[in-house]
Amino acid sequence: MRYWRCKSSLYFLLLALPSIGYAIWPFEPKRYSGNSLVNAGSMGLGPGRVIAFGDFNGDQFLDALMLGYDQRTLSVYLWNHEEYIFQKSSSFTHPSNVYNVVPGDFTHSGKLDLLVMSGALSSGPLDLSVYPSLTAGGFDVTNPFSLTSSSLSQPIPLDLNGDMKIDLLGMTPSSQHSSTAPFQMWKNVWNASQAYSPLFEVMNSPFHGSQCTLSNPHSNAVIDLDGDCLADVFLVCDNGNGIKHFQIWINNKDSGFTLAQQGDLPPGVQSITFADIDRDGTIDMVFPTCSSVSSSGAGLDCYINIAFNQQLPLCATTEPSVSKGVLTCRPPDNLCIADPNFKYDFSDGLVRFPLSALFPEGPTPSLLVQDTSFSPSIPLSLTLGDANLDGFPDILLIVSSSQGRTPKMIYSVPCSRGIAGCDQSGNGKRGWQVATKGVKSLEAVKDARGISFVDMDEDGTLDLMVQRTGSSNILFVQNNFYYDAFFLKAIVLNGACNNDWCYTEDGGKYHPFGVSYSGASYKYTVLDTSGRRSAAQVGQLPQTSYHSLQSPYSFFGLGRTNNYIENLFVGSTIHLPDHYINMEGVIPNSKVVILPSSIEGEAWKRELFLRPGEWIPWVTVTVVAGTALLAVIVLVLHLNEKREDELERRRASHHINFDAL
């Protein structure tokens, strides 16, 4: 009887051991398992369409702005880190159909306002309204700012005069017919100290040169193109001849913008996106071209095109190379040097390959280039982001076939024979390969209408958000692959509240951490594990038109490195002699918040937030265990030494000195 009682006690003890072990186990269980892309569901988002991202409550977690199916109801969903879900925060209804929304701190209050573009497009211009944010949360929906209307070509936000306030660049209904100055500037003249201050004042833009008529839709962007870490302007034009062309306007600070390059775009060009494709420290262009587009938005006979930015390369050593008094390369400790001879060559310098090269087996699918479920149709661009953290941007796209519309991830890979984007000998800058392992959650989607990169919970990996036409209209896909590489996030704020605490009328305070703006620029150098140095460039929020769905911060993979980031150059749009700073020794796997100063000679503030990775507890356990082991070894050696000393003392005390007798 006693035997069975003891056995029963031992049995229950064994059952309790796992729960006891979990109670003292220092590591949280993983939310997702499997080395793959994992279906994460809607993450709490309601019905409708995600129209913009932004940090609306300044907690440094990405929130979502949704547009209801009625195309008028706007709802803010805040990310709850503890619950790991989006939660609805505020909602209101706009009086007319909404076509685009741009979150931005237009009132310079340290919180995001909403610029809403709406109207009846078939019969009139594009109405512009700004809903200012409230310090207690939400927006002042009863007293929005009504702005001067725009033409149907959506205006873009940017800082045109270097005061860190968001202006707008576009065309008014009257200026779009001008042959000399169609560009108009909505200058931000907001003055919080005045009771009835206007928000914008429309005037001629500071663009000096032959101006074009902006296309609708367009792929206009605010990003550094000549390499001086100062945002330039890329415009897509359409003068009614059926062929789109582009203009690149260089930022000369107080002297305005000058036309540096223009030319025709390839026939059938669709939306253009920008990224440093070959990791050489310059911004390249990526866009599809199609022979025609069907009524369902599928492009036929499509090619993927990459126009590389040709400008000064990175120096092989830390010493600058000079020929006849002119720099021939950029030294790694001085990357923000303008190259006036930069260019995009759409003839000999254009790399292009057919969509069929990515899908050699079976019939060639079409490329979805328009979302026709929205009215009017939304142009879909190739979404760029470094999904595997190797330092080279990858591509998200949607293919259309008889089986439906399926999202695909295209990895950037080194060139070799038979890889799309490389020549027949296997040479080229970068190749492209469709992800086939661990992508069942993507392959299961047959009704995609949009796809974007988004970092859920700010954990340092780019996840995917698929917008669908079915009842499950939003699908998040967790990027659960293990990558032996590092990342960095960075955001330049707009100087609201003097880069310090913002105070409310009731005595509360908050940091202006959610107010990034279009035009900040980043360049960095890093050493890989073999000691090779490379440079890369990233822009901050370069595009906002037509539901671009870009995050307010910049995210870039660093690849494998055993060192800190050598140099991180951060450029702003401030019109000062030094519009950028150089940060040395930045820690990877962190987020850098830069607060620029508008006063010449005053140091910029920098804050670094290190994200503890999953390996931190393991390192802690290893260090503690190693320290304990070394302590035991030292203790044993110490006791042995003490014992030997005692024995030697005893032998000495028993020794007889015969010479003394």
Side-chain angles (χ1 to χ4, degrees), residues 479-492:
N479 185 354
N480 209 47
F481 288 109
Y482 172 74
Y483 302 113
D484 186 16
F486 294 98
F487 72 92
L488 185 72
K489 288 185 177 182
I491 183 171
V492 175

Side-chain angles (χ1 to χ4, degrees), residues 69 221 251 313 319 334 396 418 428 485 491 539 560 602 625:
Y69 286 129
N251 193 339
E319 296 296 327
N334 193 9
L396 293 179
I491 183 171
R560 298 187 63 190
E602 184 176 293

